[in-house]
């Protein structure tokens, strides 16, 4: 039977085959050279490798994604050197659609890391914008425990204490994680992690106490210190430190750490004829002595040890045993000192009189203030700044960088931006209009309305919390939500009629009462608490003794103790002005406290049991173990009852939190803060009782008494490190926020007598402040775009000068791309890219040396060392390391894990 095909049928077959072929092709819009394109099977295999693996899940094309792919492909080549494999899984393909990670929301906005089948840290795509940021973040991940990120001075001091007598510490400040300087520090730390302990911070206050730390500002790219803990006195507060003064690039920092291995003082001729510093091509400082000047020269050498160690070698010369040639310029006079720079042939001698001050000046001028010689200069971030300066001189324009401007300096705005991809839960919060707003207010017994602006970051932050609160308030027995919202950008007339002029504003509408604005915290729990309290009758009338007992215990209304820690009970013989005043106060404070009252004989019976007269107002706090019931039995007016309730809103010794800080701060009283360790229960309980008794004594009515947990990464630890130099707990600080004066008691006994005596002296001005907090200005953290200037610049110069890409191109495609999406091509010398530093031949040579050093330490100098979790399987087999070592290494990582913050 002959088969017949029409032209249309043939065309459909061809078209179907074409579509099938096209759909089989990968949809990832980039041709990778070093990144592995994963299948579901290879993806699972890579996750379970014993080394760190980095995986990106592609679902759709995003702005700047092509720029990220380019940088990721470059980084993969370097990461492979450190035993890290990089892959990308196309989640848009049918084969990968069932992979669990591909089903997760927002997966395409992050980069994921794994080891041994376990998920490690998740890195946001926005923080991985170039080779440096990718490399530094992944290296930080590989060395997560070896190089902890510490954010408080007390945590840094704990590292010093732990390593005294064991090893020196290399500590670094970085203005941000993911910079070129951070990458350099991590590459050096990888090589030297067995010889030194490393740590870093992004907070300048963490560096307080280190040498010349006051010279470091938050705008500095990076600063490195050497903390000499190995030979430090165990009884001293910290370790002697020296600030690294060289350039923050890989060759310079690697040479510096190599110099740290030199003998601290090389003696000629006892230690040889050629000083190690000259043999290794480092700077040298020579000090010359004879029999009469030996002691003072050796003393000067000891003083210089921690000043120049790692920068130059110290050589002391016995001129009676060794004679320098005349070419060196030594005139035979002792004592004498010279600086012998590595790039020069003769030393420079000090010509002034011998003294420690003159020596310091001479060293500073001839060693630390030296500029790089021509031809020995490394291209780096400074080069870019010089180019900007030249451009400004050439054109008169000085625009901020994209990185400088597009970094949020508003924490709320940044948080809103990060969460903007997650949809808000607003299904239970109806959007009200000019028609529905009046009707909804009229028909509801209680309605809370949020007035907001969609472009205001605080409005949007609270709107998210507001929506989450609606789910906590959902009542299966109620058909309508007690929450509503009005977009004041769309409905300006509604907000105008309500006289709403600040955003966000929450207003409560309750039948029979005037509208009340909410003044509390803008978070989910606070909104839920206020609504729950407003839904109660205020005040409630109790008719049985059982109900009164439950109210006093905090179990009536049901679960009310979850929303307020204070219950106020009124005892009245009959209706009258006292009861009327009590009701007025109850209505005005119903959003913070629960009120109830009893009348007649029941009031007398309860008063008799409580030992109180009638009438009386009683305040019961459910979270205050130090204070009894507070009562008011005379002058029961609105003002006096209100004052009683407000004074007792806080317990005798509250924990200082973000919720209660505004209540205390607005009263303009100093805070006495007890910093303690809540895990040391015996000691903490004892000192809390001492401070609470002092608060109850009434001797210091003008002081608020509080406490804070001050261990680990808590906010209390951060504040404690700001107020004191000590890390020893317990401690007391009296803080005057208006003047910035801080009085601290960090040592000695904490008996009731000693604490009272110290506090009396501090309050009366008989003590000197231990610290005065700096007065700061609330200014923008960085410059902003000058759009008029940009327009004028582009109209005058176009895009020819320095190949400036447009803002639109940078936003859509990433830095380094033209408006049409093509990559900008630069002529040699026109642009210095930071990633070029990583691929520079000098950097590669140094990097190979560091990796060889690391390998030799792992498997030759330290034969018993446990297996590194980041080395590949093949490398492990070649070194014949016992299998049990890997298990021990993994256990150790969990046992001793220094505190760190998320990247």
């Amino acid at each position: 039977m002959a088969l017949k095909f029409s032209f249309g049928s043939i065309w459909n077959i061809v078209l179907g085959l074409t579509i099938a072929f096209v759909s089989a092709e990968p949809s990832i819009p980039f041709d990778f050279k070093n990144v592995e394109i994963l299948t579901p099977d290879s993806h699972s295999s890579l996750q379970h490798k014993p080394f760190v693996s980095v995986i990106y899940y592609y679902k759709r094309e995003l702005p700047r994604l092509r720029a990220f792919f380019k940088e990721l492909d470059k980084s993969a080549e370097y990461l492979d050197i450190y035993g890290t494999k990089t892959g990308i899984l196309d989640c848009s393909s049918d084969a990968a659609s069932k992979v669990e990670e591909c089903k997760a929301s927002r997966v395409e906005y992050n980069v994921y890391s794994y080891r041994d089948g376990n998920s490690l840290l998740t890195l946001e795509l926005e923080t991985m914008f170039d080779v440096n940021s990718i490399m530094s973040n992944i290296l930080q991940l590989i060395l997560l425990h070896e190089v902890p990120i510490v954010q408080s001075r007390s945590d840094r001091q704990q590292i010093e204490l732990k390593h005294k007598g064991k090893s020196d510490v290399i500590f670094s400040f970085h203005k941000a994680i993911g910079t070129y300087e951070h990458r350099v520090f991590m590459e050096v730390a990888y090589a030297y992690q067995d010889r030194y302990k490393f740590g870093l911070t992004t907070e300048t206050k963490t560096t307080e106490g280190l040498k010349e730390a006051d010279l470091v500002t938050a705008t500095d790219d990076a600063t490195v210190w050497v903390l000499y803990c190995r030979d430090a006195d165990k009884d001293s507060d910290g370790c002697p430190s020296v600030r690294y003064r060289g350039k923050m690039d890989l060759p310079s920092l690697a040479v510096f750490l190599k110099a740290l291995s030199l003998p601290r003082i090389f003696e000629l001729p006892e230690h040889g004829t050629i000083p190690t510093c000259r043999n290794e091509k480092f700077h040298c400082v020579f000090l010359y002595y004879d029999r009469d000047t030996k002691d003072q020269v050796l003393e000067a050498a000891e003083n210089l040890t921690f000043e120049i160690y790692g920068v130059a070698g110290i050589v002391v010369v016995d001129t009676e045993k060794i004679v320098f040639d005349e070419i060196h310029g030594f005139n035979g006079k002792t004592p004498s000192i010279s600086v012998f720079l590595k790039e020069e042939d003769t030393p420079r001698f000090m010509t002034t009189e011998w003294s420690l001050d003159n020596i310091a000046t001479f060293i500073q001028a001839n060693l630390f203030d030296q500029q790089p010689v021509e031809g020995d200069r490394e291209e780096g971030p400074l080069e870019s700044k010089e180019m900007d300066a030249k451009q400004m001189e050439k054109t008169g324009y000085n625009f901020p960088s994209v990185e400088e401007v597009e970094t949020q300096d508003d924490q709320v705005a940044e948080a809103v931006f990060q969460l903007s991809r997650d949809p808000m839960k607003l299904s239970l919060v109806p959007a009200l209009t000019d028609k529905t707003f009046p009707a909804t207010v009229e028909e509801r017994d209680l309605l809370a309305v949020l007035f907001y602006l969609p472009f205001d970051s605080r409005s949007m932050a609270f709107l998210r919390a507001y929506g989450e609160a609606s789910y906590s308030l959902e009542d299966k027995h109620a058909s309508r939500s007690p929450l509503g919202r009005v977009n004041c950008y769309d409905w300006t007339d509604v907000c105008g009629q309500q006289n709403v002029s600040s955003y966000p504003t929450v207003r409560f509408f309750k039948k029979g009462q005037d509208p009340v604005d909410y003044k509390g915290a803008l978070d989910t729990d606070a909104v839920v608490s206020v609504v729950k309290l407003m839904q109660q009758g205020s005040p409630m009338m109790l008719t049985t003794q059982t109900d009164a007992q439950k109210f006093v215990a905090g179990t009536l209304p049901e679960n009310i103790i979850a929303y307020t820690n204070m219950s106020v009970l009124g005892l009245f013989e009959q209706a009258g002005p006292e009861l009327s005043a009590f009701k007025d106060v109850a209505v005005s404070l119903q959003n913070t406290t629960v009120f109830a009252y009893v009348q007649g004989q029941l009031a007398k019976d309860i008063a008799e049991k409580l030992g109180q007269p009638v009438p009386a107002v009683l305040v019961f706090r459910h979270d205050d173990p130090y204070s009894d019931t507070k009562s008011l039995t005379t002058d029961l007016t609105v003002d006096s009852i209100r004052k009683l309730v407000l004074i007792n809103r806080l317990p005798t010794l509250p924990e200082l939190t973000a919720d209660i800080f505004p209540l205390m701060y607005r009263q303009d009283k100093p805070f006495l803060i007890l910093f303690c360790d809540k895990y040391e229960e015996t000691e903490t309980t004892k000192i809390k009782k001492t401070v609470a008794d002092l608060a109850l004594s009434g001797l210091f009515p003008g002081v608020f008494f509080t406490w804070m947990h001050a261990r680990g990464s808590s906010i209390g630890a951060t504040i404690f490190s700001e107020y004191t130099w000590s890390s020893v707990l317990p401690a007391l600080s009296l803080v005057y926020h208006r003047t910035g004066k801080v009085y601290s008691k960090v040592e000695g006994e904490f008996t009731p007598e000693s604490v009272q005596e110290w506090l009396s002296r501090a309050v009366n001005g008989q003590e000197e402040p231990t610290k005065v907090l700096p007065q700061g200005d609330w200014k923008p953290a960085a410059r902003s775009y000058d759009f008029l200037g940009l327009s004028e610049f582009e109209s005058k110069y176009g895009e020819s000068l320095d190949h400036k890409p447009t803002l639109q191109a940078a936003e859509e495609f990433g830095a380094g791309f033209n408006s049409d999406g093509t990559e900008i091509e630069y002529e040699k010398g026109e642009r210095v890219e930071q990633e070029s530093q990583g691929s520079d031949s000098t950097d590669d040579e140094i990097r190979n040396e560091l990796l060889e050093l690391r390998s030799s330490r792992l498997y030759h100098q330290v034969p018993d060392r446990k297996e590194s979790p980041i080395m590949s399987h093949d490398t492990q087999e070649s070194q014949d390391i016992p299998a049990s070592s890997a298990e021990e290494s993994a256990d150790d990582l969990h046992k001793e894990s220094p505190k760190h913050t998320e990247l």
Side-chain angles (χ1 to χ4, degrees):
M1 180 178 178
L3 297 178
K4 295 181 179 180
F5 292 96
S6 66
F7 179 79
S9 299
I10 296 175
W11 174 250
N12 288 336
I13 293 173
V14 173
L15 181 62
L17 291 173
T18 303
I19 294 174
F21 177 77
V22 172
S23 63
E25 290 294 314
S27 60
I28 301 173
F30 194 84
D31 183 18
F32 289 100
K33 296 179 181 179
N34 303 299
V35 176
E36 180 182 358
I37 304 299
L38 303 174
T39 65
D41 291 338
S42 63
H43 160 259
S44 178
S45 175
L46 188 59
Q47 283 183 325
H48 288 79
K49 293 293 185 181
F51 47 78
V52 173
S53 59
V54 180
I55 300 177
Y56 176 73
Y57 298 93
Y58 174 81
K59 295 181 75 173
R60 58 193 176 92
E61 189 161 2
L62 301 171
R64 306 187 184 185
L65 193 57
R66 276 186 281 170
F68 165 70
F69 283 162
K70 173 190 172 185
E71 302 303 311
L72 182 66
D73 200 37
K74 291 180 184 177
S75 303
E77 182 178 4
Y78 291 113
L79 290 173
D80 188 61
I81 299 174
Y82 294 97
T84 295
K85 301 299 181 182
T86 308
I88 181 170
L89 180 64
D90 184 4
C91 290
S92 64
S93 65
D94 293 337
S97 60
K98 296 182 180 180
V99 175
E100 287 299 320
E101 287 83 357
C102 288
K103 299 176 183 178
S105 63
R106 293 185 62 195
V107 68
E108 67 271 30
Y109 291 101
N110 301 292
V111 178
Y112 297 83
S113 56
Y114 304 90
R115 182 167 59 202
D116 292 325
N118 298 316
S119 177
L120 302 179
L121 291 181
T122 300
L123 304 170
E124 294 183 2
L125 191 63
E126 293 168 354
T127 67
M128 313 277 279
F129 45 82
D130 62 7
V131 172
N132 296 318
S133 59
I134 296 172
M135 284 287 297
S136 60
N137 274 297
I138 301 304
L139 285 173
Q140 185 71 63
L141 182 64
I142 294 172
L143 301 176
L144 196 59
H145 303 299
E146 289 78 6
V147 188
I149 302 176
V150 295
Q151 299 294 59
S152 71
R153 190 175 66 249
S154 61
D155 284 346
R156 191 205 78 217
Q157 290 171 332
Q158 288 296 322
I159 293 177
E160 295 181 45
L161 183 64
K162 182 178 179 180
H163 289 86
K164 279 186 179 180
K166 299 178 182 178
S167 63
D168 293 333
V169 177
I170 311 298
F171 193 77
S172 180
F173 162 79
H174 298 269
K175 71 175 181 181
I177 297 298
T179 61
Y180 168 73
E181 292 77 15
H182 179 220
R183 172 187 173 181
V184 167
F185 185 75
M186 295 308 301
E187 290 195 83
V188 173
Y190 179 85
Y192 283 94
Q193 59 182 286
D194 297 299
R195 177 173 292 183
Y196 305 106
K197 176 62 182 178
F198 288 82
L200 64 89
T201 185
T202 57
E203 299 287 342
T204 54
K205 61 186 177 184
T206 308
T207 67
E208 289 182 355
L210 299 180
K211 189 175 181 63
E212 298 179 347
D214 57 325
L215 301 179
V216 180
T217 66
T219 58
D220 291 336
D221 292 328
T223 305
V224 176
W225 287 268
V226 180
L227 281 58
Y228 298 103
C229 296
R230 186 180 62 183
D231 299 326
D233 185 358
K234 291 186 177 181
D235 297 328
S236 62
D237 292 335
C239 304
S241 60
V242 172
R243 184 167 70 97
Y244 168 62
R245 298 169 183 248
K247 292 186 295 184
M248 197 63 186
D249 56 34
L250 189 60
S252 302
L253 191 60
V255 168
F256 172 70
L257 262 70
K258 185 177 180 181
L260 292 178
S261 62
L262 297 177
R264 293 190 176 178
I265 298 180
F266 189 95
E267 296 187 31
L268 286 177
E270 279 76 4
H271 292 164
T273 57
I274 301 178
T276 309
C277 54
R278 290 298 294 170
N279 194 41
E280 296 287 347
K281 297 182 180 180
F282 293 118
H283 302 311
C284 293
V285 174
F286 287 87
L287 295 99
Y288 310 87
Y289 69 89
D290 56 20
R291 187 181 311 167
D292 298 330
T293 58
K294 179 178 181 179
D295 291 341
Q296 58 180 313
V297 168
L298 293 181
E299 179 185 0
E302 289 292 340
N303 290 334
L304 285 175
T305 298
F306 289 129
E307 295 294 331
I308 66 174
Y309 189 45
V311 177
I314 299 178
V315 183
V316 292
V317 182
D318 186 346
T319 58
E320 295 182 350
K321 295 180 180 180
I322 187 169
V323 178
F324 269 56
D325 296 335
E326 291 184 1
I327 192 174
H328 287 145
F330 177 60
N331 58 10
K333 180 181 178 182
T334 59
S336 185
I337 183 173
S338 67
V339 169
F340 208 153
L341 300 180
K342 62 181 180 180
E343 62 271 4
E344 296 184 358
D345 296 327
T346 57
R348 304 177 182 185
F349 281 83
M350 183 176 74
T351 57
T352 56
E353 183 182 353
W354 176 274
S355 71
L356 294 181
D357 289 340
N358 287 342
I359 290 175
T361 303
F362 173 74
I363 291 294
Q364 179 68 39
N366 290 275
L367 187 62
F368 293 124
D369 292 345
Q370 288 298 305
Q371 299 296 327
V373 296
E374 199 65 33
D376 189 41
R377 183 175 181 179
E378 298 288 339
E379 291 183 340
L382 181 61
E383 193 85 5
S384 178
K385 296 178 182 178
E386 292 177 356
M387 290 177 66
D388 289 341
K390 291 179 180 178
Q391 178 173 298
M392 182 179 179
E393 182 179 352
K394 182 177 180 181
T395 66
Y397 292 89
N398 180 20
F399 296 119
S401 65
V402 173
E403 181 186 14
E404 182 181 1
V405 175
E406 296 188 2
T407 299
Q408 290 280 5
D409 62 349
D410 185 320
Q411 294 180 353
V412 176
E414 175 66 16
V416 170
F417 175 75
Q418 295 297 336
L419 292 171
S420 60
R421 303 184 187 100
D422 289 339
M424 296 186 189
K425 301 177 180 179
L426 299 175
S427 59
L428 299 180
V429 187
L432 305 178
T433 67
D434 59 343
K435 298 292 192 297
T436 59
F437 174 78
T440 305
V441 171
E442 182 66 27
E443 67 183 15
R444 304 287 178 87
D445 292 331
L446 175 68
L447 178 67
V449 179
L450 169 62
F451 299 91
Y452 68 97
L453 291 173
F455 50 80
D456 174 58
S457 58
R458 280 152 184 78
S459 291
M460 301 312 292
F462 184 47
L463 181 59
R464 182 176 295 276
Y466 198 69
E468 292 172 357
S470 68
Y471 282 82
S472 299
L473 292 168
E474 185 177 10
D475 188 349
K476 296 180 180 180
H477 303 291
S479 59
R480 295 170 297 191
S481 170
L483 304 183
R485 57 190 169 102
V486 175
N487 182 339
C488 290
Y489 182 74
D490 292 334
W491 304 105
T492 55
D493 52 342
V494 176
C495 299
Q497 291 169 4
Q498 292 296 316
N499 293 321
V500 175
S501 57
S502 62
Y503 307 93
T505 291
V506 177
R507 184 162 293 169
F508 284 91
F509 299 88
K510 192 171 184 179
K511 279 190 176 180
Q513 299 180 11
D514 294 332
V516 177
D517 284 352
Y518 170 63
K519 300 295 185 183
L522 301 180
D523 62 46
T524 301
D525 293 339
V527 171
V528 172
S529 296
V530 172
V531 172
K532 287 291 186 181
L533 288 170
M534 294 284 288
Q535 286 175 336
Q536 311 299 324
S538 188
M540 299 181 296
M541 182 177 179
L542 307 178
T543 57
T544 68
Q545 198 167 55
T546 301
D547 286 347
Q549 290 173 346
K550 290 182 178 180
F551 181 83
V552 170
T555 58
L556 182 72
E558 186 178 1
N559 295 328
I560 198 65
I561 199 171
Y563 310 116
T564 178
N565 287 327
M566 185 167 66
S567 301
V568 182
L569 178 64
L571 304 175
F572 303 98
E573 187 172 355
Q574 59 187 2
E578 292 91 350
L579 178 56
S580 179
F582 181 81
K583 290 181 177 180
D584 289 344
V585 175
V587 170
S588 65
L589 298 179
Q590 61 183 319
N591 60 346
T592 60
T593 310
V594 61
F595 291 80
Y597 70 96
V598 293
Q599 285 183 276
Q601 186 59 43
L602 180 58
K604 293 180 181 179
D605 294 342
I606 294 174
E608 184 177 353
K609 285 190 175 184
L610 296 176
Q612 298 287 344
V614 177
V617 176
L618 310 177
V619 175
F620 301 92
R621 284 207 59 90
H622 309 300
D623 62 345
D624 191 347
Y626 305 108
S627 180
D628 296 329
T629 303
K630 302 295 183 181
S631 63
L632 181 68
T633 58
T634 60
D635 190 27
L636 299 183
T637 63
V638 170
D639 290 341
S640 58
I641 296 174
R642 183 181 179 87
K643 183 178 180 181
L644 172 72
V645 176
L646 293 179
I647 287 177
N648 290 283
R649 285 178 66 181
L650 297 176
T652 303
L653 186 64
E655 181 179 6
L656 185 57
T657 63
D659 292 333
I660 70 171
F661 176 81
L663 300 175
M664 302 167 62
Y665 184 78
R666 69 170 60 121
Q667 297 188 43
D668 198 20
K669 293 182 181 179
F671 291 8
L672 177 68
I673 306 175
L674 166 63
F675 294 103
C676 56
D677 188 344
K678 67 180 180 182
Y679 301 112
E680 296 290 338
E681 295 184 4
T682 303
E683 182 67 21
T684 298
T685 301
K686 182 180 178 181
I687 186 64
K688 277 187 178 181
K689 180 66 166 58
T690 297
V691 177
D693 288 343
L694 197 59
L696 291 171
S697 68
L699 296 174
F700 303 95
V703 176
F704 275 124
F705 292 80
T706 66
W707 71 274
M708 297 190 80
H709 169 56
R711 279 291 184 221
S713 58
S714 65
I715 185 64
T718 302
I719 295 174
F720 177 52
S721 66
E722 185 70 30
Y723 289 168
T724 73
W725 290 98
S726 173
S727 59
V728 179
L729 297 177
L732 290 168
S733 289
L734 179 68
V735 187
Y736 289 83
H737 291 97
R738 301 297 182 186
T739 62
K741 293 181 179 180
V742 180
Y743 303 84
S744 295
K745 177 178 172 59
V746 296
E747 57 185 16
E749 295 183 337
F750 285 85
T751 62
E753 296 78 15
S754 63
V755 172
Q756 179 179 332
E757 182 183 354
W758 167 79
L759 184 56
S760 296
R761 292 198 308 269
V763 169
N764 295 326
Q766 297 172 347
E767 290 251 332
E768 287 295 324
T770 53
K771 185 170 185 178
V772 178
L773 302 177
Q775 297 294 325
D777 295 326
W778 291 95
K779 296 180 178 179
R783 292 188 292 167
S784 60
Y785 284 127
D786 177 7
F787 290 100
L788 293 178
L790 284 169
S791 300
E792 183 180 348
F793 178 90
E794 290 187 359
S795 65
K796 186 174 182 179
Y797 296 101
E799 295 186 12
S800 60
L801 185 61
D802 289 341
H803 303 273
K804 289 280 186 179
T806 64
L807 293 177
Q808 182 179 0
E811 179 68 27
E812 183 175 359
F813 303 108
F817 286 81
N818 291 311
S819 57
D820 59 357
T822 59
E823 188 174 356
I824 296 174
E825 296 181 1
Y826 295 90
E827 295 182 7
K828 185 177 181 181
E830 276 195 325
R831 175 182 172 188
V832 178
E833 292 182 289
Q834 287 187 342
E835 63 264 28
S836 69
Q837 297 167 333
S839 60
D840 181 84
S841 59
T842 303
D843 275 23
D844 286 342
E845 183 179 345
I846 294 295
R847 185 175 293 109
N848 290 334
E849 291 180 6
L850 290 174
L851 291 171
E852 289 175 6
L853 177 67
R854 169 67 177 156
S855 178
S856 66
R857 286 217 181 91
L858 274 175
Y859 304 112
H860 299 289
Q861 296 181 12
V862 193
D864 296 329
R865 179 175 170 81
K866 299 164 187 173
E867 176 186 336
S868 170
I870 57 93
M871 299 301 290
S872 67
H873 182 66
D874 296 337
T875 306
Q876 293 163 9
E877 288 182 349
S878 67
Q879 300 298 338
D880 194 24
I881 300 176
S884 60
S885 298
E887 299 174 3
E888 294 173 2
S889 178
D891 291 340
D892 287 347
L893 287 177
H894 291 287
K895 289 177 182 176
E896 296 187 10
S897 175
K899 297 185 183 301
H900 60 275
T901 62
E902 290 188 2
L903 303 182

